[in-house]
Amino acid sequence: MDKITQEQRSRNMSRIRSKDTKIELVLRKALWKKGYRYRKNYKALPGTPDIAVTKYKIAIFCDSEFFHGYDWEIKKQKLGQNKEYWVKKIERNMARDRETDLKLIALGWTPMHFWGEDILKHTDACTAAIDDLCFELQLTAYECPVDREEYTDIQ
């Protein structure tokens, strides 16, 4: 049973934003501080990535746990009111995420997804993952056979 009224639930849901969310702002700020330049909510790509690092063709999505189905099989059982609606909606979101990833890959872009809690609690790990991917893409672009560990020893 839901602990809040239908009017309160409606008010809460109407306040959920689709862009410039807290998790997006945290990750964007961290990337900017590290020197990455990017496009936000880049409509030229399928799925309108929250962050698009155009130099490396990386499309980054900041996914909220509820709407994108984190631990979905467990959380699906705990849904309260309107369970049928939410199961259908979230499973469609998950399918759309997979479809978008395939479209991006076909266009030569690399999709990355980060969960909101990971961004908030482990921002450095998220930016490190982006750093690693950029480094790998940079090596691939130049077809350089140097291993990253060897490269760091050279400098």
Side-chain angles (χ1 to χ4, degrees):
M1 186 78 189
D2 208 357
K3 295 178 183 172
I4 62 176
T5 67
Q6 189 173 0
E7 291 79 23
Q8 289 170 321
R9 173 71 62 215
S10 179
R11 180 175 153 78
N12 289 348
M13 296 306 285
S14 72
R15 302 272 188 272
I16 296 173
R17 296 181 294 185
S18 62
K19 53 185 174 178
D20 293 333
T21 61
K22 183 177 180 179
I23 56 178
E24 285 179 43
L25 295 175
V26 167
L27 188 57
R28 287 195 329 230
K29 186 176 180 180
L31 289 174
W32 191 267
K33 189 176 179 181
K34 290 190 98 162
Y36 287 100
R37 298 303 175 251
Y38 50 80
R39 308 286 232 127
K40 59 182 196 167
N41 306 110
Y42 195 43
K43 292 181 181 172
L45 292 175
T48 312
D50 300 313
I51 302 168
V53 183
T54 55
K55 180 178 180 180
Y56 299 105
K57 289 189 162 187
I58 301 172
I60 302 169
F61 296 91
C62 304
D63 296 336
S64 67
E65 284 80 357
F66 180 73
F67 287 103
H68 293 271
Y70 180 77
D71 282 342
W72 181 234
E73 291 305 315
I74 296 167
K75 288 189 179 171
K76 181 168 43 172
Q77 305 306 320
K78 297 179 181 180
L79 289 174
Q81 291 181 339
N82 217 356
K83 183 175 182 171
E84 188 177 310
Y85 167 81
W86 285 111
V87 168
K88 183 178 174 185
K89 178 175 181 55
I90 293 170
E91 287 179 353
R92 178 63 191 129
N93 287 350
M94 293 165 61
R96 190 180 311 112
D97 289 343
R98 288 188 297 274
E99 292 165 10
T100 299
D101 287 352
L102 293 174
K103 289 176 186 175
L104 287 166
I105 291 167
L107 291 172
W109 284 72
T110 305
M112 292 185 85
H113 291 264
F114 294 100
W115 294 113
E117 286 297 315
D118 289 339
I119 293 171
L120 296 176
K121 293 181 179 177
H122 309 288
T123 309
D124 291 339
C126 295
T127 57
I130 295 167
D131 277 339
D132 290 344
L133 180 58
C134 288
F135 185 83
E136 294 300 322
L137 292 172
Q138 203 170 21
L139 285 180
T140 306
Y142 294 112
E143 296 183 21
C144 180
V146 178
D147 187 29
R148 184 172 186 168
E149 284 74 29
E150 292 177 33
Y151 176 76
T152 54
D153 291 341
I154 294 171
Q155 290 184 342

